[in-house]
Structure formats: C-alpha cells, structure tokens
Amino acid sequence: MFRRKSSFGFLEKTIANLGEILNHADQATLTSGEKGMLQQLDPRVKVGGALVLIVGAVSTSDLWVTGAVFLFSILMIALSRLSFRLYLERTWLGVLFFTGLIALPAIFTTPGVTIFHLPLLHWPISSQGVQSAWRLLARAETAATVAMLLILTTPWTHLLKSLRFFRLPVIIVTILSMTHRYLFLLLHLTQNFLDARSSRKVGRWSPSQQRELTASILAVLLSRSLQLSEEVYLAMQSRGFTGEIHILDEFCFRKRDWLSMMILTTIAVLLIMLR
Amino acid sequence: MNLFDIQCASYRYREVQALDSVTFSIKRGERVAILGANGSGKSTILRLLDGLYFAQSGSVCFDGRVLNEESLRDEEFSFEFRRRVGFVFQNPDVQLFSPTVFDELAFGPLQMHWPKSKIIEAIDSMLDRMNLLHLKHRVPHRLSGGEKKRVALASVLMLDPEVLLLDEPTSSLDPKSQSQMIEFLQEFQGGKTVVTATHDLEIVGDIAERCIVFEDGRVAQTGTPSRILGDELLLRRTSLIHEHRHMHGFGVHKHPHLHKFHTHPHEPIGRIKPLSESPGSS
Ligand SMILES: Nc1ncnc2c1ncn2[C@@H]1O[C@H](COP(=O)(O)OP(=O)(O)OP(=O)(O)O)[C@@H](O)[C@H]1O
Ligand SMILES: [Mg+2]
C-alpha cells in the first residue's frame, strides 16, 4: 500500500509496516466470517478452550503435551479454513525470531553437560541449555498458535463480550476495546503525517533528517494520541457507552458447543493428570 | 420552556480559557447556529451541552436538570439523556470505530437495548434515507472524508434524538453533499432542537433561526441570522469575514468575503493597481 521511491528509509519502512498491520486487522475480520469449524463455535467456548490449552501447554514440563496441543491447533487451523501461509508469515516466524532472541543466550549460559563447542569462539553448548531453549520456543509457538486461532476465528466484539462473561472487569475490557479502535486511528494519523511531510520534501532523507523526523513524529503522535483517545471515548460515551459490551448476535449454546465443552474438559483433565 | 439553560458557564483546558462565563439558553424545538472563528470555543460549548465536559463554574441545565458528574452518574437520567441528545463530532474519525458501517449504526441502539429485529430494520431504512446503502459493509475508517461524515451523522440519527448537536456538519463535504446535508437539516425540524456550530456563514440562514456569535470563549452577540449577517463590524471583529481581494478584469479590489452575490464599480481597464489602494465595496 506504500508507493514511493525505491530507496526506502527506515522510517518509511516502519510506516509501511504499520499500513500492513491495518490490513492484518481487516484480515481477521475476513477470516472470522468464514464458515470454518471454529468460527461456528460459541466464543465463550473458544475463550475457555484457548485458556485451557495455553495454560496446559505452558505449565507442563512434558514437551509431549506441548507438542500434542500444537498438533491439535494445527488440526484446528485446517478445519477452520485458515491459511497456513498466513500463519507461517504472521505468527510462527515472528515468534521464532523474538523467542529466539531470548532463548539463544540460554544455550550457552545454562550450566550442564557440554555436548558441543562453537567453532572459533569455543563457547560451550550444554544439553540442558539446548533443552531449555527448545522448551521455551515450543511453548511460545504453541501459545501463540492457540491465541491466533481464537483471534482469527472470532469477531473482535464477540471476543470482548466473552471476556466479560469470564468476569474480566469492565475497565479492562473497555481498555482493550478502546485500544483496538484507537489503533486504527493512530496508524492513519501516522501515515497522513508522514505523507504530509514527504510531500513537502524534495529528494531523499538523510539519516540525520530521518532521526529528526522520527523524533518529531513521535512527539506529535504522543500528544495527538492522548487527545484523540479522549475524543474517541467521549464519542462513545455520547452514544450511551458505559463500558458494557453489547453486540447484535446473542450468544447461544448449541449441541456442537456442548460437545466441544466436553472435549475441552476431557483435555483439561488429561493435562492435569499428566502433570 | 428552555431546553438548555447555560448560566455563567466557564471551562478551562489546562492552559487555555476556552469558555469564559457564557450565558444563553435554547428553547425546545429551536434551531440555533453557534458562530465563531477557529478556537472561539464552539466545540467546547457543544461538549458541555452534551454532558461530556462539565462547567467548572456556573451551570448547564438540560430540561430543568443540571448537568454535572453526579447527575450523569444516575443511570436512569444518563440513559434518558443519551437517548434524547445526539452529538455529531467535528472529526468523524473519532466517531467511527466499528468494523463495518452496519456495526457502526448498530452501536447506539445496542447501548439502548433495542431488540435485534428493530435494529436491523432501522439500519436499513436509515442507510436508504441517507443514501448510504452501498457502503453498508464497508470498513468505516477506509471511507472518504465526506462519506465518513455522513455515516457519523447517520449513526447518531439512529436513536432518533430530539436534540441534535452538530459540530461543523458541512466541512469537508463536496457541494452536492453539502446541499443534501442542508436540505436534510431543514427537513429534520419537526419539533427537534438543532444546535449547529459552524463558521460557514453561507449556510446559517438555512439551518438556524437564531445565531449565537462566540468570540474568545464569550458570547459576543445573539440575534436572527439576517441581523447577524448584516452586522459587518461584528463579523469582521470576530474574524468571521476577512478582506477578500480579487481581480475583475485588470482591476484589483477588496471587500469583505461574504459569499454573497455582489457587484462593484470596476477599475478602469488596463491598469493594475497596488493591492492597498483599491477602493472597498461590497
Ligand atoms: N483538548 C484540549 N486541550 C487544550 N486546549 C484545548 C483543547 N481543546 C480545545 N482547546 C483550546 O480551547 C479553545 C477553544 O477550542 P474549541 O475546540 O472549542 O474551538 P472551536 O471554536 O471549536 O474551533 P474550530 O473552529 O477550530 O473547531 C482553543 O483555544 C483551543 O486551542
Ligand atoms: Mg471546533
């Protein structure tokens, strides 16, 4: 969505990425409207299920359990007609990168039986280190996969309403819903701001100009965002918003919801027993 | 009986005194224009009228009841108040936050616990009425400025409020949408109270029977549109008109920018005079 000179600066790349985020959010609206398996479940079941699976996968010391949860979510991705490519690009690679950053040092620093020395640097790699890094990565990937399943198959407002069902305080749900609404505004603002700047600029930005621009954008955005977020809230208040989430579709439990509940309960019990 | 009663209301943002002891009232069913230059406090007074901000001194009363934090904490009153009073913001971006135009229009009725079938029906007829049916499933934040404005208005009108507060309703509309908007506001009368903040003098006569002119957070003057628009000194002092220079043939002249049809004695052709010397007329 960003058409500009071939030599992109850091700043322009960042903004282009922001534009991408907007597209992603639209994507979630699209995928949650598909007629896949998870899309047709009651959101409350999904939130409960995701909670059980994430807690189960993260708290267990048995990697097989984490692996099982991961495989289960793979199955769900397929049954819910989500694209694996989307998953790879937006979830798995990102988590791999960020968790990798955290996990990598652990490989070298965890004391234990040395199984290998890094060539040239001669840093020792312990089997315990590899194991703990691997465990961290597996847990993070699994948790992210499950969370994305929930997000991609549930309209945002439904998700919020089911969070209320699980007794999450009004204030937190309000903050979440505001954040989501507000994010769009902020991204557009950023984009307009940068577009306005670059339309006044001839030629390329030098690195120092870029730094200057970044600083000024951040300053303006911060103050604008405070003001705008207040206004967004006022506008919602003006139309009767009190923090409680109301949506058009009433949640109703059907047979498949009861069935999924039973399956989830079984999984939860199994997870507890395995620990 | 007065619907709104504003008594010596003041409001101060941290560093700016936006409203300074403002007093006026609005009758039930009246159509009022709030005029004023940028920063004169128009948006702020509308926010006070909508119970979003509260007067820091003085008072704002709606239908005999004072608007303050305490009265709006009363759920029953605040529910009634929100149902009866609709506010279209100056910046439509802050007002549109739902995933689709449809959801946007459903937001207000949902807060008011309307039954589902009624909501769906009302949305369709509103979209039809506002010529927005083709945008029903679009993402609001991807609409054009004018479309956003119309969706924002439609979403407020869903609750069929008896009081409508409009902040710059015609800015960023193309001429056709603008005249549609004005037509709409004229039709909208039927016992409804409409308060419009604007600095567009062209539309004032069409949308209001009384004007309140703001200047630096104070009420400078009130009166009928024809009286206010005829008071050139006042308009000039409150920066609602400015010297307008343009060329006719080769003669440059200046006169107040009133957006009215005008004629002037022209300079002799063939000579361009320095700006400052041109004779004024209107
Ligand atoms: N959130 C805020 N924080 C601080 N000052 C503000 C804020 N909002 C408005 N002001 C100031 O208060 C004064 C009145 O603002 P207001 O928005 O009411 O003007 P306005 O008449 O609506 O102007 P415009 O025609 O530009 O919309 C201005 O001087 C403005 O700078
Ligand atoms: Mg304003």
Side-chain angles (χ1 to χ4, degrees), chain B residues 139-150:
Chain B
V139 187
H141 63 83
R142 293 271 168 88
L143 298 176
S144 81
E147 288 167 343
K148 278 182 191 165
K149 208 129 200 171
R150 277 154 57 208

Side-chain angles (χ1 to χ4, degrees), chain A:
Chain A
M1 65 182 293
F2 232 65
R3 330 125 255 124
R4 207 163 279 149
K5 277 158 259 139
S6 55
S7 52
F8 273 19
F10 152 77
L11 201 59
E12 286 170 311
K13 272 191 202 133
T14 311
I15 305 295
N17 287 342
L18 294 184
E20 274 294 296
I21 296 177
L22 279 172
N23 286 341
H24 290 199
D26 289 350
Q27 188 86 43
T29 316
L30 282 182
T31 50
S32 62
E34 290 252 342
K35 290 253 171 294
M37 180 174 143
L38 282 183
Q39 283 91 334
Q40 300 185 33
L41 276 189
D42 188 295
R44 290 168 296 184
V45 177
K46 284 189 272 184
V47 172
L51 227 69
V52 168
L53 290 179
I54 291 177
V55 171
V58 171
S59 63
T60 180
S61 55
D62 191 344
L63 265 185
W64 286 109
V65 174
T66 312
V69 173
F70 187 75
L71 281 180
F72 178 74
S73 19
I74 295 276
L75 183 69
M76 287 298 135
I77 294 175
L79 288 177
S80 306
R81 305 191 187 173
L82 300 172
S83 118
F84 281 100
R85 227 190 98 195
L86 200 96
Y87 246 96
L88 183 70
E89 284 174 358
R90 296 187 185 168
T91 312
W92 293 330
L93 288 181
V95 173
L96 182 68
F97 178 72
F98 283 108
T99 320
L101 279 185
I102 303 167
L104 208 58
I107 298 181
F108 306 107
T109 54
T110 313
V113 189
T114 306
I115 48 169
F116 189 69
H117 275 280
L118 211 63
L120 298 175
L121 288 171
H122 300 291
W123 288 357
I125 295 176
S126 67
S127 75
Q128 280 87 343
V130 172
Q131 239 178 42
S132 67
W134 172 238
R135 184 168 296 138
L136 182 67
L137 197 62
R139 286 174 180 172
E141 289 283 9
T142 307
T145 309
V146 175
M148 279 303 277
L149 264 178
L150 182 64
I151 290 168
L152 285 176
T153 62
T154 321
W156 180 247
T157 45
H158 292 197
L159 202 58
L160 290 177
K161 190 172 172 175
S162 19
L163 289 177
R164 276 295 290 145
F165 175 80
F166 285 97
R167 297 280 170 274
L168 205 65
V170 170
I171 181 73
I172 294 180
V173 177
T174 309
I175 290 172
L176 277 175
S177 80
M178 293 295 300
T179 311
H180 183 258
R181 278 158 187 183
Y182 185 54
L183 190 69
F184 289 105
L185 202 55
L186 194 63
L187 291 174
H188 277 282
L189 195 70
T190 318
Q191 221 164 37
N192 289 342
F193 193 79
L194 193 88
D195 280 345
R197 277 300 167 93
S198 49
S199 71
R200 276 186 265 149
K201 172 89 184 82
V202 186
R204 273 182 64 183
W205 279 316
S206 71
S208 76
Q209 275 176 321
Q210 280 198 28
R211 271 195 301 277
E212 220 171 87
L213 193 59
T214 314
S216 79
I217 285 183
L218 286 180
V220 170
L221 277 181
L222 191 67
S223 72
R224 278 291 280 155
S225 66
L226 287 174
Q227 194 198 332
L228 278 175
S229 59
E230 193 207 334
E231 274 194 53
V232 172
Y233 186 65
L234 290 179
M236 292 170 77
Q237 229 183 334
S238 169
R239 283 203 272 159
F241 182 71
T242 51
E244 201 57 66
I245 308 284
H246 301 282
I247 59 169
L248 210 47
D249 320 85
E250 282 309 314
F251 294 161
C252 65
F253 252 63
R254 281 161 299 193
K255 259 195 217 129
R256 52 170 170 253
D257 295 312
W258 288 113
L259 190 68
S260 327
M261 274 272 282
M262 270 153 58
I263 295 175
L264 277 171
T265 320
T266 320
I267 293 178
V269 170
L270 275 177
L271 285 175
I272 292 168
M273 277 168 36
L274 278 170
R275 274 171 67 189

Side-chain angles (χ1 to χ4, degrees), chain B residues 132-143:
Chain B
L132 290 168
L133 265 178
H134 59 294
L135 300 178
K136 186 171 173 180
H137 300 293
R138 292 274 299 276
V139 187
H141 63 83
R142 293 271 168 88
L143 298 176

Side-chain angles (χ1 to χ4, degrees), chain B residues 3-271:
Chain B
L3 190 60
F4 282 107
D5 249 316
I6 296 95
Q7 284 291 333
C8 303
S10 299
Y11 191 87
R12 188 182 175 83
Y13 296 99
R14 229 165 312 152
E15 67 276 30
V16 188
Q17 186 76 36
L19 293 176
D20 187 6
S21 193
V22 171
T23 301
F24 64 93
S25 55
I26 293 169
K27 290 193 189 61
R28 200 182 293 273
E30 203 179 13
R31 295 184 309 144
V32 176
I34 295 185
L35 301 176
N38 291 135
S40 57
K42 303 184 296 294
S43 299
T44 310
I45 188 67
L46 286 186
R47 282 166 192 207
L48 257 65
L49 295 180
D50 198 36
L52 297 172
Y53 295 165
F54 304 110
Q56 288 154 345
S57 66
S59 66
V60 177
C61 290
F62 172 77
D63 208 4
R65 186 146 179 194
V66 71
L67 294 180
N68 55 28
E69 244 161 292
E70 199 191 325
S71 66
L72 279 165
R73 221 177 287 138
D74 173 358
E75 264 175 49
E76 204 174 316
F77 174 69
S78 99
F79 189 88
E80 267 310 289
F81 181 72
R82 298 282 170 233
R83 189 178 60 74
R84 291 173 65 185
V85 182
F87 185 8
V88 182
F89 279 69
Q90 182 167 3
N91 174 4
D93 276 324
V94 306
Q95 209 169 343
L96 306 174
F97 36 66
S98 302
T100 67
V101 170
F102 178 86
D103 293 302
E104 192 61 54
L105 265 63
F107 182 84
L110 282 171
Q111 310 304 315
M112 297 291 142
H113 313 299
W114 285 18
K116 184 177 170 179
S117 57
K118 186 179 166 194
I119 295 181
I120 293 173
E121 214 171 284
I123 291 177
D124 277 331
S125 81
M126 177 57 68
L127 287 174
D128 191 32
R129 184 169 148 209
M130 300 289 288
N131 264 328
L132 290 168
L133 265 178
H134 59 294
L135 300 178
K136 186 171 173 180
H137 300 293
R138 292 274 299 276
V139 187
H141 63 83
R142 293 271 168 88
L143 298 176
S144 81
E147 288 167 343
K148 278 182 191 165
K149 208 129 200 171
R150 277 154 57 208
V151 172
L153 177 66
S155 65
V156 168
L157 290 177
M158 278 299 290
L159 293 178
D160 192 24
E162 63 192 82
V163 183
L164 196 54
L165 307 172
L166 301 162
D167 202 348
E168 312 273 357
T170 52
S171 66
S172 84
L173 292 183
D174 60 35
K176 180 159 168 255
S177 310
Q178 184 164 343
S179 71
Q180 272 176 348
M181 176 72 79
I182 291 165
E183 260 167 48
F184 172 82
L185 292 179
Q186 284 170 323
E187 278 170 29
F188 186 70
Q189 292 179 59
K192 313 254 179 188
T193 312
V194 184
V195 183
T196 313
T198 184
H199 42 65
D200 186 354
L201 298 181
E202 220 177 336
I203 66 168
V204 171
D206 295 323
I207 56 155
E209 53 233 13
R210 193 156 64 95
C211 300
I212 301 173
V213 182
F214 271 66
E215 181 185 16
D216 296 334
R218 293 165 197 267
V219 177
Q221 186 68 264
T222 53
T224 59
S226 58
R227 224 190 88 201
I228 298 288
L229 293 182
D231 192 342
E232 203 189 304
L233 222 61
L234 170 76
L235 296 182
R236 203 189 292 267
R237 195 189 64 192
T238 52
S239 313
L240 280 163
I241 50 174
H242 55 93
E243 293 294 354
H244 181 57
R245 294 190 171 110
H246 58 188
M247 289 202 346
H248 284 273
F250 290 97
V252 182
H253 77 284
K254 61 177 186 180
H255 62 79
H257 186 70
L258 270 174
H259 298 280
K260 278 181 174 169
F261 176 77
H262 60 264
T263 55
H264 7 67
H266 282 159
E267 295 293 307
I269 287 175
R271 199 162 71 89

